């Protein structure tokens, strides 16, 4: 009897536990967003270019065919997936508003990528004055694509817009050169302008932090470069979570070649000595200077004849670690050479592509800038731009300003008729003794520091391995200020606001005991003791005395006079090194301090400079790397653009 009761009770207990476990492990089923599938038809076509190559193109058209719609196009090397006419994206177009109000949204795999035919060329060079159909570039491919779309897609109103972020932003810029007459609006966003100054290089310094992204652009497609609907490349897998230590232990760059020796059936081990299977890594290695190859790939210099029929709105993030040079120089060059064009800029408190996200709180790294900033941009700026030029009057009275810019210090939007604003002026401050940043030069002395190649200055205090860096652009710089190989210069506490609005030039006077060196300048907003900590802050940090990096830049010293013709330093000789820092719009508020940091390593954001001159750092030997003593002289100055 007792045994039966015990078994019964045990059975009830097991049933209870089973039910309980089922309840605790129950997961909520995520509702699939079917808006696009419910409201759009999808068609995939291969559009023939003038040379006979076809480009795979996906077209989403509104099911409501009672009216005509503009076409909004994105061309991408990152795939127009999902493939298959029954497979839909959950979101299409630049933003939700443009998706829901109805537009024909088109995605295209660029030449040589994914399901498009042809051979891919990284940053394909523009060909002016083409003389045959065999001469093709991204401009001609865009033209041919638009020509086909306006003549073959039903219910289009004859107006085309183009947009894209990062590499697709580069293709959006490219579309404005030799533009098709139907192209009415282009919005290059975080657009690459020149790979010697964007992404993989900054002023000639190689960004080692982009190492893992190399194979994305340099892995040949298999099967004789045939179209493929799945990824054919793999990202290098670093066997550690500490990339600082990994790259330090790895030594010279040439020791990393093995990551790009793919040994596939299509690429047997027949390569010459020193050449890898990754054609982009080979380009980086074989072209360390701004030679004809890099110059030909740059798009900035071809913006002198942007069609006046195309309205442009260039978008960027003040804290974009990947592409800040590109959008700023794109806007400035269109503005400079195309008088009378509709050309505007929008810059907000974002990292790479942050404006396209739907997050309520806008944060970059540890730093909080406010609520609904991206949502405001999408609804009241981006949608307004495309609607005016694709559905509306299409004249210059768009209701948008020339410059829609966010003051990242005051945390508020401002609008201006020009950029930099008309009331901006240059103001010079000197790197003085006793860690002072002064409005006047106080004598000339030399401040020395030892640059130890075994202990380079980290770019972040985080222990991590990343695909590409982002959060460091707003990182707290106290960790660097406390190092002996980082020079600090600082104002007194501000008794009134100081608004930086435009570019910054660092005019350094330096010397080194070696024959080569990198120079890094950082502009920092030192917060007061009572600054309030936001919820996104890393646990080990507080906003009290936070050292917010507002802008930073590196110059590989060999390029101080020419990016094409490098030259060594003469040991111990005082030398001018001028570094252009990209534009900012930031108010150093009353009660804060403005600080400048100067250093010579920034690892592993950029690769180590041997600090002895070699022709090609990618081929340097271990013995070339030497610790050196550097000097910064106190007649060095920083020239700010300041609102008056």
């Amino acid at each position: 009897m007792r045994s039966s009761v015990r078994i019964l009770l045990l059975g009830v207990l097991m049933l209870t536990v089973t039910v309980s476990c089922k309840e605790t492990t129950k997961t909520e089923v995520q509702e699939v967003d079917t808006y696009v599938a419910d409201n759009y038809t999808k068609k995939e076509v291969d559009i023939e270019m003038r040379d006979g190559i076809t480009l795979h193109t996906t077209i989403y058209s509104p099911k409501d065919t009672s009216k005509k719609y503009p076409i909004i196009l994105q061309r991408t090397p990152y795939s127009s997936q999902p493939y298959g006419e029954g497979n839909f994206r959950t979101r299409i177009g630049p933003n939700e508003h443009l998706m829901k109000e109805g537009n024909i949204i088109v995605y295209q795999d660029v030449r040589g990528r994914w399901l498009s035919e042809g051979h891919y060329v990284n940053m394909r060079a523009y060909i002016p004055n083409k003389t045959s159909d065999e001469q093709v570039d991204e401009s001609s491919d865009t033209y041919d694509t638009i020509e086909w779309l306006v003549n073959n897609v039903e219910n289009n109103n004859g107006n085309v817009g183009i947009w894209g972020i990062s590499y697709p932003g580069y293709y959006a810029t490219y579309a404005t050169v030799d533009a098709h007459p139907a192209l009415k609006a282009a919005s290059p966003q975080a657009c690459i302008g020149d790979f010697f100054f964007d992404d993989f290089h900054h002023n000639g310094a190689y960004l080692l932090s982009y190492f893992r992204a190399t194979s994305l652009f340099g892995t040949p497609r298999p099967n004789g470069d045939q179209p493929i609907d799945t990824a054919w490349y793999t990202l290098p897998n670093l066997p550690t979570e500490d990339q600082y230590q990994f790259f330090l232990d790895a030594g010279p760059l040439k020791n990393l070649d093995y990551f790009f020796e793919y040994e596939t059936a299509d690429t047997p081990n027949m390569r010459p000595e020193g050449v890898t299977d990754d054609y982009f890594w080979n380009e980086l290695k074989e072209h360390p200077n701004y030679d004809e190859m890099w110059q030909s790939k740059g798009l900035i210099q071809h913006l002198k004849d942007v069609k006046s029929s195309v309205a442009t709105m260039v978008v960027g993030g003040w804290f974009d670690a990947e592409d800040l040079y590109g959008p700023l120089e794109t806007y400035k060059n269109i503005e400079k050479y195309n008088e009378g064009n509709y050309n505007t800029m929008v810059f907000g408190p974002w990292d790479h592509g942050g404006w396209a996200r739907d997050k309520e709180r806008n944060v970059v790294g540890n730093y909080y800038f406010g609520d609904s900033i991206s949502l405001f941009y999408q609804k009241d700026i981006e949608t307004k731009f495309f609607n005016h030029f694709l559905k509306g009057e299409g004249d210059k009275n768009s209701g948008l300003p020339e410059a829609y810019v966010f003051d990242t210090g005051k945390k508020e939007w401002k609008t201006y008729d020009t950029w930099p604003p008309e009331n901006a002026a240059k103001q010079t401050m000197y790197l003085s003794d006793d860690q002072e940043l002064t409005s006047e030069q106080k004598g000339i002395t030399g401040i020395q520091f030892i640059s130890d190649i075994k202990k380079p200055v980290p770019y972040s205090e985080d222990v991590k391995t990343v695909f590409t860096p982002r959060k460091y652009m707003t990182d707290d710089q106290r960790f660097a200020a406390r190092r002996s190989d980082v020079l600090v210069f600082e104002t007194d506490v501000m008794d009134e606001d100081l608004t930086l609005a435009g570019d910054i030039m660092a005019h350094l006077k330096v010397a080194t005991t070696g024959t080569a060196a990198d120079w890094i300048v950082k502009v920092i907003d030192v917060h007061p003791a009572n600054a309030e900590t936001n919820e996104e802050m890393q646990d080990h940090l507080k906003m009290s005395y936070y050292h917010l990096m507002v802008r930073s830049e590196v110059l590989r010293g060999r390029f101080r006079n020419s990016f094409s013709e490098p030259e060594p330093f003469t040991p111990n000789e005082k030398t001018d090194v001028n570094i252009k820092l990209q534009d900012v719009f930031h108010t150093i508020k009353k009660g804060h301090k403005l600080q400048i940091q100067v250093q010579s390593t920034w690892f592993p954001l950029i690769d180590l400079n041997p600090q002895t001159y070699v022709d090609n750092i990618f081929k340097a030997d271990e013995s070339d790397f030497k610790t050196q003593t550097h000097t910064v002289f106190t007649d060095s100055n920083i020239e700010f653009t300041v609102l008056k």
Side-chain angles (χ1 to χ4, degrees):
M1 182 72 173
R2 289 178 181 174
S3 178
S4 300
V5 171
R6 189 178 298 117
I7 291 170
L8 178 63
L9 289 173
L10 182 61
V12 171
L13 180 61
M14 289 178 67
L15 180 63
T16 304
V17 170
T18 303
V19 171
S20 175
C21 286
K22 283 182 179 176
E23 287 177 353
T24 55
T25 58
K26 190 176 175 182
T27 56
E28 287 186 24
V29 178
Q30 289 284 333
E31 223 177 287
V32 178
D33 187 346
T34 61
Y35 183 88
V36 178
D38 293 342
N39 292 276
Y40 284 83
T41 60
K42 179 187 176 187
K43 185 177 182 181
E44 296 186 33
V45 297
D46 295 315
I47 300 176
E48 186 174 340
M49 301 293 104
R50 62 190 65 181
D51 64 343
I53 292 296
T54 62
L55 303 187
H56 191 76
T57 309
T58 301
I59 304 165
Y60 292 91
S61 299
K63 287 182 177 179
D64 178 1
T65 58
S66 64
K67 54 186 175 181
K68 295 184 182 296
Y69 303 94
I71 296 169
I72 304 181
L73 168 67
Q74 181 181 105
R75 305 187 67 243
T76 178
Y78 301 132
S79 173
S80 58
Q81 290 178 335
Y83 297 118
E85 293 192 357
N87 299 319
F88 286 75
R89 294 190 178 206
T90 56
R91 175 172 166 170
I92 57 175
N95 63 54
E96 183 180 35
H97 307 287
L98 290 165
M99 174 181 75
K100 290 190 172 179
E101 67 182 35
N103 287 284
I104 299 168
I105 307 297
V106 179
Y107 295 91
Q108 182 178 77
D109 295 337
V110 298
R111 181 181 290 257
R113 298 291 282 189
W114 298 88
L115 286 181
S116 286
E117 294 179 342
H119 177 66
Y120 174 68
V121 176
N122 202 15
M123 299 287 286
R124 189 184 299 273
Y126 168 66
I127 304 172
N129 306 314
K130 300 174 183 65
T131 57
S132 76
D133 287 346
E134 298 306 309
Q135 291 186 315
V136 294
D137 55 22
E138 304 303 340
S139 174
S140 66
D141 281 354
T142 309
Y143 190 104
D144 294 350
T145 297
I146 292 175
E147 177 70 11
W148 189 94
L149 291 171
V150 295
N151 287 299
N152 291 277
V153 176
E154 294 180 356
N155 296 311
N156 82 81
N157 71 359
N159 294 334
V160 178
I162 190 167
W163 100 103
I165 298 172
S166 194
Y167 221 139
Y170 161 81
Y171 294 115
T173 307
Y174 223 131
T176 68
V177 182
D178 297 336
H180 191 284
L183 184 65
K184 304 300 183 185
S187 184
Q189 304 178 6
C191 43
I192 302 167
D194 190 315
F195 257 172
F196 207 72
F197 303 95
D198 282 307
D199 289 295
F200 291 89
H201 296 96
H202 275 209
N203 290 328
Y206 170 59
L207 264 73
L208 183 57
S209 50
Y210 283 76
F211 173 79
R212 295 186 65 221
T214 306
S215 58
L216 181 61
F217 304 107
T219 306
R221 284 193 301 187
N223 302 319
D225 208 6
Q226 290 300 302
I228 185 171
D229 64 359
T230 54
W232 63 96
Y233 50 81
T234 56
L235 306 181
N237 184 26
L238 304 189
T240 175
E241 293 182 1
D242 187 345
Q243 64 182 14
Y244 180 99
Q245 195 61 48
F246 172 81
F247 285 120
L248 196 62
D249 292 343
L253 290 174
K254 67 179 182 179
N255 292 347
L256 300 173
D257 280 359
Y258 70 93
F259 279 102
F260 304 111
E261 295 169 353
Y262 301 136
E263 303 301 345
T264 66
D266 295 318
T267 53
N269 191 6
M270 299 286 287
R271 72 182 75 82
E273 182 69 26
V275 176
T276 71
D277 299 309
D278 190 290
Y279 48 81
F280 185 41
W281 180 248
N282 292 337
E283 283 182 342
L284 290 166
K285 287 177 53 180
E286 298 303 322
H287 300 271
N289 308 324
Y290 194 50
D291 59 14
E292 194 271 337
M293 186 206 75
W294 292 116
Q295 292 172 31
S296 70
K297 290 175 178 286
L299 188 56
I300 298 298
Q301 60 267 38
H302 297 298
L303 299 179
K304 295 181 179 180
D305 189 25
V306 172
K307 298 293 185 184
S308 60
S309 55
V310 184
T312 49
M313 183 178 77
V314 182
V315 182
W318 289 129
F319 299 102
D320 189 339
E322 298 182 42
D323 298 298
L324 184 60
Y325 168 90
L328 285 168
E329 290 300 312
T330 296
Y331 166 77
K332 290 178 180 180
N333 278 273
I334 293 175
E335 192 68 14
K336 179 178 179 180
Y337 294 110
N338 302 275
E339 187 177 353
N341 279 28
Y342 182 96
N343 178 47
T344 61
M345 61 177 278
V346 182
F347 273 76
W350 300 304
D351 59 6
H352 193 61
W355 51 92
R357 302 187 193 110
D358 293 333
K359 290 184 179 179
E360 182 74 22
R361 289 175 65 84
N362 284 121
V363 179
V364 178
N366 287 305
Y367 205 85
Y368 167 70
F369 290 99
D371 289 343
S372 302
I373 299 169
S374 300
L375 301 178
F376 167 77
Y377 158 78
Q378 292 168 28
K379 180 181 178 183
D380 294 315
I381 302 176
E382 185 174 47
T383 299
K384 193 171 184 179
F385 169 76
F386 279 113
N387 280 347
H388 179 75
F389 290 101
L390 301 182
K391 296 179 178 178
E393 294 297 320
D395 57 13
K396 293 182 180 180
N397 300 316
S398 66
L400 294 169
E402 173 80 12
Y404 226 135
V405 287
F406 192 91
D407 184 327
T408 54
K410 288 186 175 179
K411 300 183 180 179
E412 62 186 23
W413 286 103
K414 293 287 187 181
T415 61
Y416 295 102
D417 294 332
T418 61
W419 183 262
E422 287 183 354
N423 58 332
K426 299 299 183 182
Q427 181 172 325
T428 300
M429 305 188 82
Y430 289 86
L431 310 184
S432 297
D433 275 331
D434 299 322
Q435 299 190 19
E436 288 186 326
L437 185 63
T438 60
S439 57
E440 295 181 356
Q441 183 179 320
K442 293 186 173 182
I444 303 177
T445 58
I447 306 171
Q448 292 188 333
F449 65 94
I450 297 172
S451 182
D452 187 342
I453 51 97
K454 295 294 186 182
K455 296 180 180 179
V457 180
Y459 78 97
S460 171
E461 61 180 342
D462 295 344
V463 175
K464 60 185 177 182
T465 295
V466 297
F467 174 56
T468 56
R470 288 198 175 189
K471 70 175 284 291
Y472 84 94
M473 294 286 282
T474 61
D475 266 355
D476 186 355
Q477 297 300 307
R478 274 176 284 198
F479 77 95
R482 293 164 181 163
R483 289 181 58 116
S484 61
D485 50 359
V486 177
L487 303 185
V488 175
F489 306 90
E490 188 173 85
T491 65
D492 293 331
V493 173
M494 293 285 178
D495 54 16
E496 59 182 23
D497 289 351
L498 176 69
T499 299
L500 311 179
D503 64 7
I504 300 167
M505 283 294 300
H507 301 284
L508 301 184
K509 313 284 187 179
V510 301
T512 174
T513 54
T515 51
D518 293 334
W519 300 96
I520 296 102
V521 173
K522 299 185 288 191
V523 179
I524 293 161
D525 179 348
V526 180
H527 287 48
N530 61 354
E532 187 176 339
T533 301
N534 54 280
E535 63 188 55
E536 293 85 1
M537 185 72 67
Q538 288 174 281
D539 290 341
H540 69 286
L541 294 173
K542 301 296 179 187
M543 193 58 73
S544 177
Y545 293 123
Y546 193 91
H547 284 33
L548 171 67
M549 191 166 73
V550 174
R551 184 61 68 240
S552 53
E553 195 54 275
V554 58
L555 176 72
R556 180 134 285 171
R558 63 177 55 214
F559 298 122
R560 64 194 180 276
N561 294 320
S562 168
F563 289 110
S564 302
E565 300 178 7
E567 56 189 290
F569 287 89
T570 300
N572 302 309
E573 182 177 290
K574 188 176 181 180
T575 307
D576 289 343
V577 173
N578 298 314
I579 307 173
K580 179 185 176 182
L581 285 74
Q582 302 302 330
D583 294 29
V584 300
F585 186 39
H586 185 90
T587 296
I588 310 294
K589 294 167 69 175
K590 179 181 178 180
H592 293 224
K593 292 191 285 187
L594 173 60
Q595 182 187 99
I596 299 295
Q597 291 184 7
V598 180
Q599 59 200 62
S600 193
T601 51
W602 210 14
F603 193 75
L605 183 68
I606 61 171
D607 64 312
L608 277 181
N609 191 316
Q611 303 191 137
T612 54
Y613 188 85
V614 294
D615 288 336
N616 187 344
I617 293 178
F618 281 90
K619 299 181 179 181
D621 295 320
E622 189 85 45
S623 59
D624 295 320
F625 290 78
K626 305 287 186 185
T627 292
Q628 304 289 355
T629 298
H630 301 324
T631 303
V632 175
F633 295 92
T634 56
D635 50 346
S636 300
N637 67 73
I638 312 294
E639 184 183 79
F640 296 101
T641 307
V642 175
L643 280 190
K644 295 298 184 181

